[in-house]
Amino acid sequence: RTWAAVEIDAGDALHVGAIVRGARAYLSVSGGWNGEPVFKSVSTHFSAGFGGHEGRALRAGDRLEFTSGTPAPREAKALRELPESARAFLRGEIERKALRAIEGTPAHVGQFDEAALSKFWKGAFAVSSKSDRSGVRLEGEPIRAGGKATGNGGAMISEGMVRGAVQVPPNGLPIVLGADYPTTGGYPVIACVASVDFPALGQARPGDVLRFERVTLGRALELLRERERRFEEEVPRT
């Protein structure tokens, strides 16, 4: 049973089957998971090896503990399942393959000629099996940075990065920075995925074909506000 809160008793077994839609599934517990917080979070950072359960992926036999939450009033239980209309709304985002994105700054976009920019915005890219939470690596026809501004093949002085930034390394294959993105980067950023499409980016699985749709910053903010408004309407408060 998905999209719903389920009451369990001591000794109950929870079975999670294969994912048939998207790349990730989530299990939440009332009260939250116990663990030693790192930067106020008990999540695991695999590449750095800290947080969560011994800073690693779970193995058979691992024991996780959680803080028992306050049981919901009986009259609220009927509202603890996401309505079908809201599920369809969220599935639509997950299945979206054209990621809305804002063009990079002039200093970064200036690294590419018109042919390279056209190839990026009009092309299609497959998600690589080498992708992880740090970055969604894309495969396809390379996009070469000409180094017009620096004459150095596209390499730039490192600067702060943000989630969703689409970097283009020397091999010309874009990398879309994910939740565990590096704090700095020295590759030109050709675009940045709009926040409204982060859910779709996070559910991209190897082999999925992604495209990019150019939008303005103002439009990206409108889309985010619209999504939040629609979700408020679709999901009742408990």
Side-chain angles (χ1 to χ4, degrees), residues 169-195:
N171 66 5
L173 301 179
I175 303 172
V176 189
L177 300 188
D180 290 342
Y181 66 91
T183 55
T184 62
Y187 302 138
V189 175
I190 196 169
C192 186
V193 174
S195 298

Side-chain angles (χ1 to χ4, degrees), residues 116-174:
L117 291 173
S118 177
K119 187 184 299 183
F120 173 76
W121 291 109
K122 295 181 179 180
F125 305 89
V127 176
S128 168
S129 60
K130 297 179 181 179
S131 300
D132 55 25
R133 280 173 52 87
S134 295
V136 176
R137 296 177 177 272
L138 303 179
E139 299 174 340
E141 190 175 355
I143 300 170
R144 302 295 183 185
K148 295 194 300 179
T150 61
N152 57 5
M156 303 179 70
I157 296 175
S158 292
E159 58 184 78
M161 287 292 113
V162 295
R163 181 171 62 158
V166 185
Q167 290 189 307
V168 182
N171 66 5
L173 301 179

Side-chain angles (χ1 to χ4, degrees), residues 3 56 61 84 103 130 181 233 236:
W3 305 97
R56 60 169 173 79
E84 181 59 39
E103 190 174 68
K130 297 179 181 179
Y181 66 91
E233 294 176 351

Side-chain angles (χ1 to χ4, degrees), residues 2 10-11 13 21-22 37 46 55 104 108 113 125 134 137 151 154 172 184 208 227:
T2 58
R21 190 192 305 270
F46 292 143
H108 286 252
D113 59 24
F125 305 89
S134 295
R137 296 177 177 272
T184 62
D208 280 353
R227 187 188 72 177

Side-chain angles (χ1 to χ4, degrees), residues 9 29 50 53 55 79 108 113 115 163 190 192 196-197 215 217:
D9 297 315
V29 295
F50 62 73
H53 186 76
L79 300 179
H108 286 252
D113 59 24
R163 181 171 62 158
I190 196 169
C192 186
V196 70
D197 281 341
V215 296
L217 176 58

Side-chain angles (χ1 to χ4, degrees), residues 67-82:
T67 302
S68 180
T70 302
R74 183 174 299 275
E75 61 271 15
K77 295 187 185 302
L79 300 179
R80 298 176 68 191
E81 184 168 349
L82 202 64

Side-chain angles (χ1 to χ4, degrees), residues 7-26:
E7 292 187 42
I8 60 174
D9 297 315
D12 286 349
L14 175 67
H15 297 277
V16 180
I19 297 176
V20 297
R21 190 192 305 270
R24 296 173 173 86
Y26 300 87

